[in-house]
Amino acid sequence: MSEIVLDGHKLAWHKDRVDAWLSGERIAPITIDCALTRACTYRCTYCYGMLQANDIKKMTKEVIFRFLDDAAEIGVKAISFVSDGESTCSPHLYDAVLRGKQNGLDMAIGTNGYLLKEDRLEDILPALTYLRFNISAADGDRYAAIHGCEKESYYKVLDIIKTCVKIKCKKNLPVTIGLQMVLLPEFADQILPLAKLGKELGVDYLVIKHCSDDESGSLGVDYSKYHDMVEILKKAESYSDNGYLVKAKWSKILSGGKRTYSRCYGPPFIMQFSGSGLVAPCGMLFHDKYKRYHIGNIVDTSFKEIWQSDRYWEVINLIASEKFDARSMCGSLCLQHKVNEFLWDLKANNAALKKGEGEPPMHVNFI
């Protein structure tokens, strides 16, 4: 199995796209993270979705298919159904995965898993690059409290994960099945139990990540307390073996929630859409109060037309200009953070752009 990058980026394996961007070309995103709805079955205590409210429009099957067709046509390489909603709430999720794969796109899902239909898993698992379950506790009571759901949901989700692993092993599928823990300081007691649980379930990895917050600190994340968990996180990583990886996102967990760059260069490479169909540079800017940065909506206009529009590139150029300061005008530790660090180094420090060497890492198109 090639390397899996859980704390970093993969732009070195997309040098042609980076070179085109540096030359001023209008490039297509490599990866798009999106949801098929803003609905969710859970009410997680750390949910950033409540900070992303915007006009909700219905993502019909026709809209979703048109988007997936457009994405493939313009040169997008990967679509992950991960954003501000739980895409398993959409009746079109399974058809969307298959349509995207048929179009030649790498497809992925991030989910709480509760609504995944076991009778459709054999259909979609062969079409997925990865399936990631969001789970921040390894105890029914703690799970219910953290995720804002019934205790029984925990046991149902575990059964679904086991079924996924069983299908993967039976059919020898290349899909990666992982767990993701969103870590708040008050969840420290669940770190080691989750590391143990992942190994017992037979998944490929557990990634432990920070919790993002907006520029006003609305979720109240105390980043200084992450430093108190270094030893327990290292102990969790010691559960790793040849078939199972536990990885903390150290670069973000220990960053203090700070950025070293002021301009946002990442969205041309990794764009985010809301489950409402809203196209914006990133999830940090979904809320209606950021309409200055809203580009369009794929319910109303095809993504190809949006991408080709002057408005798309006006917004992309605005957040990459001196008129926008990523250190104070958007939330902390966003999806594009590692990509932004890399691109800032290229632009501001004239760093050399080297092509990735050796075998590409896993999930190379999910940058």
Side-chain angles (χ1 to χ4, degrees):
M1 188 170 70
S2 58
E3 180 188 7
I4 183 168
V5 178
L6 298 174
D7 184 20
H9 66 88
K10 310 177 191 82
L11 275 185
W13 280 269
H14 298 278
K15 186 176 181 296
D16 56 341
R17 197 79 54 111
V18 180
D19 281 332
W21 174 76
L22 288 170
S23 299
E25 293 183 31
R26 293 185 169 188
I27 62 169
I30 299 166
T31 309
I32 295 177
D33 271 24
C34 59
L36 301 179
T37 175
R38 274 191 41 80
C40 190
T41 48
Y42 286 9
R43 292 293 179 269
C44 301
T45 58
Y46 53 76
C47 181
Y48 201 94
M50 70 177 192
L51 308 177
Q52 297 172 305
N54 60 80
D55 291 339
I56 294 179
K57 298 191 177 185
K58 189 174 182 180
M59 296 275 279
T60 64
K61 183 176 179 179
E62 291 71 27
V63 167
I64 296 165
F65 276 23
R66 182 179 67 185
F67 157 63
L68 292 168
D69 294 349
D70 283 348
E73 181 181 343
I74 71 171
V76 176
K77 297 184 178 183
I79 304 288
S80 52
F81 292 135
V82 181
S83 189
D84 59 343
E86 173 55 56
S87 289
T88 57
C89 292
S90 169
H92 311 302
L93 171 66
Y94 307 96
D95 290 336
V97 169
L98 298 177
R99 178 68 165 231
K101 185 65 174 180
Q102 182 183 14
N103 286 351
L105 297 163
D106 288 351
M107 302 299 297
I109 298 174
T111 176
N112 59 40
Y114 180 74
L115 287 182
L116 274 176
K117 297 179 180 179
E118 291 199 26
D119 62 349
R120 296 304 306 272
L121 292 176
E122 291 202 14
D123 297 332
I124 63 168
L125 284 172
L128 292 173
T129 299
Y130 72 80
L131 173 60
R132 189 184 70 218
F133 291 88
N134 301 316
I135 178 171
S136 293
D139 169 83
D141 290 325
R142 292 286 279 135
Y143 182 91
I146 291 170
H147 289 289
C149 61
E150 298 297 323
K151 182 178 179 179
E152 290 70 24
S153 302
Y154 171 71
Y155 301 103
K156 180 180 179 181
V157 169
L158 292 192
D159 285 341
I160 290 171
I161 295 171
K162 291 174 185 176
T163 300
C164 289
V165 172
K166 183 178 179 180
I167 293 171
K168 172 184 172 169
C169 294
K170 178 182 177 182
K171 297 197 168 188
N172 194 28
L173 300 175
V175 61
T176 304
I177 300 173
L179 309 180
Q180 175 175 272
M181 178 190 196
V182 176
L183 178 63
L184 284 173
E186 54 267 35
F187 303 165
D189 64 305
Q190 293 301 304
I191 294 173
L192 294 181
L194 267 171
K196 182 180 178 181
L197 177 64
K199 180 171 283 192
E200 292 172 349
L201 291 172
V203 299
D204 297 297
Y205 70 83
L206 165 68
V207 61
I208 304 169
K209 62 164 287 187
H210 62 291
C211 180
S212 295
D213 208 341
D214 67 6
E215 67 270 30
S216 302
S218 298
L219 296 179
V221 182
D222 186 348
Y223 290 103
S224 67
K225 290 186 177 179
Y226 281 127
H227 293 268
D228 298 332
M229 292 182 279
V230 169
E231 291 307 313
I232 194 170
L233 287 169
K234 287 182 177 179
K235 187 172 182 179
E237 289 188 333
S238 72
Y239 281 79
S240 301
D241 57 32
N242 289 336
Y244 175 58
L245 175 67
V246 179
K247 178 65 178 177
K249 288 197 171 187
W250 291 109
S251 67
K252 291 186 176 181
I253 287 173
L254 299 181
S255 71
K258 305 297 184 183
R259 302 173 188 265
T260 58
Y261 52 89
S262 59
R263 299 187 186 183
C264 185
Y265 295 133
F269 298 89
I270 179 168
M271 178 71 66
Q272 287 179 278
F273 299 174
S274 169
S276 68
L278 172 69
V279 178
C282 73
M284 299 289 182
L285 301 175
F286 284 167
H287 195 280
D288 281 336
K289 67 182 179 180
Y290 302 114
K291 282 191 174 180
R292 180 186 183 192
Y293 307 106
H294 293 178
I295 299 169
N297 193 298
I298 60 172
V299 173
D300 303 322
T301 309
S302 75
F303 176 57
K304 182 179 178 181
E305 291 178 84
I306 292 173
W307 175 72
Q308 290 174 332
S309 70
D310 289 340
R311 175 61 182 169
Y312 184 99
W313 295 101
E314 285 170 4
V315 174
I316 291 296
N317 292 332
L318 173 60
I319 61 174
S321 75
E322 61 185 12
K323 296 179 181 178
F324 186 84
D325 190 338
R327 295 169 297 186
S328 60
M329 296 174 70
C330 60
S332 61
L333 303 177
C334 63
L335 175 70
Q336 294 86 354
H337 180 66
K338 299 304 295 183
V339 169
N340 272 330
E341 287 183 333
F342 175 76
L343 296 172
W344 174 261
D345 208 27
L346 292 180
K347 282 271 196 176
N349 302 323
N350 295 315
L353 174 58
K354 297 180 180 179
K355 186 176 181 179
E357 298 179 354
E359 186 178 0
M362 296 178 69
H363 314 164
V364 67
N365 291 328
F366 296 92
I367 62 168

